[in-house]
Amino acid sequence: MGHRVVTRMTPEEWIRPAGLEAARAAQREIAARAEVQDRLPPAPALVAGVDCAGAARGGPDRVRAMAVLLGIAAPSQPRATSLAEGVPRFPYIPGFLGFREIPFVLEAVAKLPERPELILVDGHGTSHPRGCGIATHLGVVLDLPTVGVAKSILVGRVAGELGMEAGSTAPLVWKGRRIGTALRSRRGVQPLFISTGHRVSLETAVARVTEWLAGYRLPEPTRLADKLAGQARRAIERQASLLPE
């Protein structure tokens, strides 16, 4: 049985906006409430990872949100996993993908048996055109500390030279201000782009992600969520391939 998700009387438009203009307004409102200072335990004991997979190949439009809960005492052994899936109500529009995913992510997090102290989200936080990527969206709605761990740049550019060694960092800047950090998580691999989601400073966000690296490109919480979300999608694809035509 999952824990109770507290959403602080979240406006419906923040979750299921009526259209693009309502979604844009919701993102601005959410971004205005995002906190970029630390308000989390110094060493979070329960950390969740969240990732979403899209439709199975050739199948109808669907979102599968996977949440994985890890404890600092056994960082590679999930304490719990949960999956939520369904047909998204919001269309696929770059910069507004959070509205496709947030209803299912909220459900997946709610199914976890314990409330995490920090959530690492596969996606952007404040490194977004309106400062409201999925990590910020989720963090403000739940009032939980969140960090965006993105695999590619949405807006901005890496300023300066990013070294090839693991642990190398460089600022991600946009319109003259820093919106995130490019982090080389393994030597020679493509960098990750770390940003504040909610209730976490950028410096702490990078530190927490770095602590959860275990020899892979992605930190363990989002790596496992990504892996399990992909497995769920492939299982659906295999099942569909066995159906009679």
Side-chain angles (χ1 to χ4, degrees):
M1 185 175 181
H3 62 86
R4 179 172 174 265
V5 169
V6 179
T7 59
R8 299 194 308 176
M9 300 297 291
T10 300
E12 179 67 14
E13 292 289 278
W14 286 14
I15 309 299
R16 297 175 181 85
L20 189 58
E21 286 308 311
R24 186 176 285 111
Q27 286 184 333
R28 292 194 179 105
E29 292 170 3
I30 294 167
R33 297 201 183 191
E35 300 176 25
V36 296
Q37 295 81 33
D38 290 328
R39 196 152 68 88
L40 74 166
L46 292 176
V47 177
V50 168
D51 185 47
C52 290
R57 186 174 55 249
D61 191 12
R62 254 183 123 66
V63 169
R64 293 175 179 85
M66 178 65 68
V68 177
L69 185 67
L70 298 172
I72 195 69
S76 294
Q77 299 176 9
R79 294 168 68 100
T81 65
S82 62
L83 176 69
E85 59 181 321
V87 177
R89 294 173 53 179
F90 203 83
Y92 184 97
I93 303 174
F96 296 89
L97 301 186
F99 293 105
R100 291 172 56 82
E101 299 175 350
I102 195 71
F104 308 106
V105 172
L106 288 171
E107 182 182 347
V109 172
K111 288 179 178 178
L112 294 174
E114 300 169 277
R115 184 173 169 89
E117 296 173 310
L118 172 67
I119 304 178
L120 304 188
V121 184
D122 189 309
H124 288 273
T126 55
S127 52
H128 176 276
R130 287 164 296 282
C132 185
I134 181 68
T136 299
H137 198 157
L138 180 66
V140 171
V141 168
L142 294 181
D143 196 29
L144 273 174
T146 54
V147 171
V149 185
K151 303 185 191 80
S152 60
I153 293 175
L154 181 59
V155 291
R157 62 178 180 83
V158 177
E161 183 176 348
L162 177 63
M164 296 300 291
E165 294 297 324
S168 298
T169 62
L172 178 65
V173 299
W174 187 54
K175 294 186 176 181
R177 63 186 182 89
R178 186 169 186 169
I179 59 172
T181 294
L183 168 66
R184 189 85 67 187
S185 53
R186 286 184 61 192
R187 176 178 172 80
V189 303
Q190 291 297 309
L192 300 174
F193 301 94
I194 313 304
S195 59
T196 296
H198 180 52
R199 290 174 52 178
V200 183
S201 68
L202 182 56
E203 180 181 5
T204 297
V206 173
R208 296 291 86 81
V209 169
T210 301
E211 286 175 355
W212 281 92
L213 294 173
Y216 298 94
R217 183 190 177 205
L218 298 178
E220 280 297 277
T222 58
R223 185 185 76 84
L224 291 172
D226 177 87
K227 177 182 177 181
L228 294 172
Q231 287 177 352
R233 180 173 59 186
R234 288 190 293 274
I236 295 296
E237 290 176 343
R238 287 193 297 270
Q239 185 179 14
S241 69
L242 296 175
L243 294 176
E245 298 183 0

